[in-house]
């Protein structure tokens, strides 16, 4: 038995904070007592209810869907109106099509919410667009019209034109085999199911909503029973990944596989925990799982999905920091002129993929001047970076960029970046791009400030900011309880990959402890439910 487990048994009511963090990290890396790997998705659950509801009893999933409706009538994170349209329309369609009468009040309130969203319709295609929204929303709107559901969606001509152009390309493309990234949104553009689309895990592009739509079509077309059963098992497994939720309640993407492991190790590297002797064994085991996931073409988000530049770079970072780097460089096919794309053929480079490519190449000792030039040019006036296509908070790409750059570049620009981060600290000591502080975003800020501080003597302002952050994080910390932060990752709706977020939170809290001095030596009382 690991020695860290002993102080944290229910019989022991207190333990030093750093011991608790290490035990929490060991549990995270080993995957023990953590069935909830990703949060549940309103959009995908609604699509499962519409196309492939649970065989036994769907009422609990419907009740769960109703319980997610907010007081204003909409579904989705209230802080981010653009990310509420897709889950709200999908939820309304599911309730209307399955049994409208008992849900009439919820439907009425949802329609009223949509009628008030015209101010939130973007006049251009934003960088943080919900994944596939340009395809999903028009199809949902057409299906709502067929179902005589009177939606009043905001006019978004730029988004409509973008979606129409993409739809034309997809429908003119050759037949797609399992693993193609476009299959992740198949429910928004596909019509005829084929067996070759289905991955070995039983999904279309790791998407429960796309898989449910495929399953509906496959049953109608009487495809092979073995394929249908495989898709059904995938939806059951995806539902269990959300934790203690009813059958049919599913996440927006599953499994997380390679991305989850690589991202967790990347977070440990940002916090300097990758060299901690007591984490060496689990880190080596995690690195061992990553090696088979990367080929000469790169690594995909999870097994069965096509390689992408962002995951490939994260895997390379993780393996390098675990002391087991790749002998080859599969990232070369995704980079050009100091920028990186997520998928080959993407029309524009990705901020996160460029940041992670820079980090991976720097660890290999490769030249990164062109990457740093592009990243520095992408900063805003406050010296920091903006939102990325995968995360609504500017704090995530900012922390990753500061971790990625060479020490010389960080030192040259540390003053403006440090001032920009401290200026955004909330009065309670935390950070958050919405009104409230969140653990994940506060952890990102702490990790960034720690690397900036390593280039010079810490100023009183920085010391005070880090202490305030530590106090906020210690009060918010709930050991062994998964993600404390709300959904900030961009999928078809906002979601939280629980283990990835938790790794960032714990790395940030560990780093904040290093700034708190004697305060962390006092034992921390564990609440009964946390012990």
């Amino acid at each position: 038995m690991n020695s860290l487990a002993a102080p944290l048994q229910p019989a022991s009511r207190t333990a030093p904070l750093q011991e608790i963090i290490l035990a929490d990290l060991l549990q995270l890396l080993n995957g023990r007592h953590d069935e909830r790997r990703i949060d549940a998705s309103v959009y995908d659950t609604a699509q499962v209810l519409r196309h492939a509801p649970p065989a036994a009893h769907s009422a609990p999933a419907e009740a769960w869907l109703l319980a997610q409706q907010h007081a204003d009538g909409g579904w989705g994170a209230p802080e981010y109106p653009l990310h509420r349209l897709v889950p709200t329309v999908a939820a309304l369609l599911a309730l209307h099509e399955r049994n409208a009468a008992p849900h009439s009040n919820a439907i009425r309130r949802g329609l009223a919410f949509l009628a008030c969203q015209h101010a939130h319709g973007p006049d251009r295609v934003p960088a943080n667009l919900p994944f596939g929204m340009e395809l999903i929303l028009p199809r949902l709107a057409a299906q709502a019209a067929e179902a005589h559901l009177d939606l009043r969606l905001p006019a978004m001509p730029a988004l409509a034109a973008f979606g129409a152009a993409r739809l034309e390309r997809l429908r003119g493309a050759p037949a797609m085999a399992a693993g193609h990234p476009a299959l992740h949104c198949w429910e928004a553009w596909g019509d005829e199911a084929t067996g070759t689309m289905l991955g070995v895990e039983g999904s279309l592009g790791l998407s429960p909503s796309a898989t449910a739509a495929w399953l509906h079509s496959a049953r109608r077309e009487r495809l092979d029973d073995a394929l249908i059963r495989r898709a059904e098992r995938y939806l059951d497994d995806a539902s269990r990944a959300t934790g203690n939720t009813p059958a049919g309640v599913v996440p927006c993407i599953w499994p997380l596989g390679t991305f989850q492991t690589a991202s967790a190790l990347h977070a440990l590297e940002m916090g300097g925990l990758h060299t901690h002797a007591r984490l060496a064994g689990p880190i080596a085991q995690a690195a061992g799982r990553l090696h088979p996931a990367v080929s000469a073409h790169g690594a995909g988000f999870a097994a069965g999905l096509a390689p992408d530049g962002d995951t490939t770079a994260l895997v390379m970072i993780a393996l390098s920091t675990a002391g087991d780097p790749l002998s080859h460089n599969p990232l070369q096919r995704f980079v050009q002129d100091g920028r990186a794309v997520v998928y080959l053929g993407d029309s524009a480079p990705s901020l996160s993929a460029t940041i992670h490519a820079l980090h991976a190449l720097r660890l290999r000792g490769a030249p990164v001047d062109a990457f740093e030039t592009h990243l520095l040019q992408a900063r805003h006036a406050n010296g920091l970076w903006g939102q990325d296509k995968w995360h609504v908070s500017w704090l995530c790409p900012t922390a990753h960029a500061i971790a990625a750059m060479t020490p010389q570049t960080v030192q040259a620009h540390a003053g403006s970046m440090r001032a920009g981060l401290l200026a955004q600290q909330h009065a309670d000591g935390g950070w958050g791009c919405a009104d409230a502080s969140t653990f994940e975003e506060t952890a990102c800020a702490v990790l960034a400030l720690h690397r900036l501080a390593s280039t010079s003597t810490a100023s009183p302002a920085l010391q005070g900011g880090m202490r305030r952050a530590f106090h906020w994080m210690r009060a918010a910390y709930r050991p062994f309880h998964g993600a404390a932060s709300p959904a900030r990752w961009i999928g078809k709706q906002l979601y939280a990959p629980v283990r990835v977020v938790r790794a960032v939170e714990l790395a940030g809290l560990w780093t904040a402890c290093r700034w708190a001095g004697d305060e962390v030596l006092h034992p921390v009382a564990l609440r009964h439910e946390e012990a």
Side-chain angles (χ1 to χ4, degrees), residues 23-264:
D24 211 344
L25 278 167
L26 279 170
Q27 179 172 293
L28 176 90
L29 290 170
N30 292 328
R32 296 196 303 266
H33 314 300
D34 183 16
E35 289 304 315
R36 182 170 173 253
R37 287 154 281 181
I38 185 169
D39 61 344
S41 163
V42 167
Y43 168 74
D44 290 83
T45 298
Q47 293 286 47
V48 167
L49 283 171
R50 295 182 64 214
H51 299 303
H57 194 33
S58 62
E62 288 184 32
W64 180 90
L65 193 64
L66 282 167
Q68 310 312 305
Q69 188 176 27
H70 291 277
D72 62 7
W75 280 262
E79 305 94 331
Y80 299 96
L82 181 64
H83 293 264
R84 304 187 71 187
L85 296 177
V86 163
T88 296
V89 175
L92 288 173
L93 261 174
L95 296 174
H96 177 77
E97 290 176 348
R98 291 191 59 75
N99 198 354
H103 308 316
S104 59
N105 184 52
I107 293 171
R108 177 186 57 78
R109 291 170 51 229
L111 292 173
F113 166 82
L114 289 175
C116 297
Q117 297 307 299
H118 291 277
H120 302 298
D123 55 6
R124 56 181 178 80
V125 179
N128 64 336
L129 186 72
F131 194 84
M133 180 180 177
E134 72 279 8
L135 298 171
I136 294 170
L137 201 58
R139 175 160 279 199
L140 289 177
Q143 292 168 342
E146 292 174 5
H148 305 291
L149 189 61
D150 184 22
L151 299 181
R152 299 181 185 178
L153 293 171
M156 295 177 280
L159 186 66
F162 178 51
R166 189 176 174 206
L167 183 61
E168 184 177 356
R169 290 194 302 273
L170 286 169
R171 288 187 167 163
M176 295 175 186
H180 195 290
L183 293 175
H184 185 73
C185 291
W186 187 82
E187 79 278 12
W189 62 270
D191 294 309
E192 184 177 347
T194 65
T196 57
M197 297 174 178
L198 206 63
V200 292
E201 74 293 322
S203 82
L204 260 70
L206 312 184
S207 167
S209 50
T211 305
W214 180 94
L215 193 51
H216 178 81
S217 179
R219 287 167 174 165
R220 185 183 64 238
E221 296 163 19
R222 300 182 182 275
L223 293 190
D224 183 58
D225 285 345
L227 293 173
I228 289 174
R229 286 194 299 272
R230 192 172 5 146
E232 290 170 342
R233 284 195 298 271
Y234 166 79
L235 289 178
D236 289 342
D237 291 342
S239 182
R240 283 191 286 272
T242 63
N244 189 25
T245 57
V249 176
V250 294
C252 68
I253 185 168
W254 189 81
L256 304 178
T258 307
F259 167 78
Q260 174 181 265
T261 301
S263 295

Side-chain angles (χ1 to χ4, degrees), residues 448-480:
L449 284 169
H450 179 70
R451 180 139 204 259
L452 294 172
S454 67
T455 65
S456 61
T457 303
S459 66
L462 177 57
Q463 291 176 341
M466 291 293 255
R467 279 186 173 272
R468 289 196 302 275
F470 168 72
H471 287 298
W472 186 91
M473 296 174 86
R474 183 171 63 176
Y477 180 41
R478 301 293 180 266
F480 318 113

Side-chain angles (χ1 to χ4, degrees), residues 319-506:
L319 291 175
S320 291
T321 56
D324 190 17
L326 289 177
S327 58
H328 61 291
N329 179 14
L331 194 56
Q332 290 176 324
R333 61 203 298 260
F334 298 100
V335 302
Q336 185 176 8
D337 299 328
R339 299 182 185 182
V341 295
V342 176
Y343 287 107
L344 298 179
D346 281 357
S347 58
S350 159
L351 176 61
S352 66
T354 299
I355 288 169
H356 296 144
L358 162 59
H359 198 156
L361 294 172
R362 175 174 66 80
L363 293 176
R364 290 179 67 87
V368 294
D369 290 353
F371 289 87
E372 291 192 320
T373 297
H374 283 303
L375 280 187
L376 292 172
Q377 290 172 346
R379 291 191 302 166
H380 291 185
N382 62 358
L384 309 174
W385 286 265
Q387 297 172 337
D388 180 49
K389 67 184 294 184
W390 304 123
H391 206 288
V392 292
S393 175
W394 57 268
L395 284 148
C396 180
T398 291
H400 286 205
I402 291 170
M405 293 187 296
T406 62
Q408 296 81 5
T409 301
V410 171
Q411 183 172 8
H413 300 274
S416 62
M417 293 189 286
R418 194 164 49 236
L421 280 163
L422 289 173
Q424 296 295 323
Q425 188 172 23
H426 292 176
D428 61 11
W431 277 263
C433 58
D435 292 337
S437 299
T438 74
F439 208 134
E440 181 188 12
E441 292 172 282
T442 301
C444 286
V446 165
L447 292 167
L449 284 169
H450 179 70
R451 180 139 204 259
L452 294 172
S454 67
T455 65
S456 61
T457 303
S459 66
L462 177 57
Q463 291 176 341
M466 291 293 255
R467 279 186 173 272
R468 289 196 302 275
F470 168 72
H471 287 298
W472 186 91
M473 296 174 86
R474 183 171 63 176
Y477 180 41
R478 301 293 180 266
F480 318 113
H481 267 229
S485 295
R488 291 291 183 263
W489 291 71
I490 298 174
K492 295 174 184 177
Q493 71 169 73
L494 295 182
Y495 73 104
V498 173
R499 288 179 180 169
V500 174
V501 171
R502 191 61 168 177
V504 174
E505 293 174 343
L506 293 174

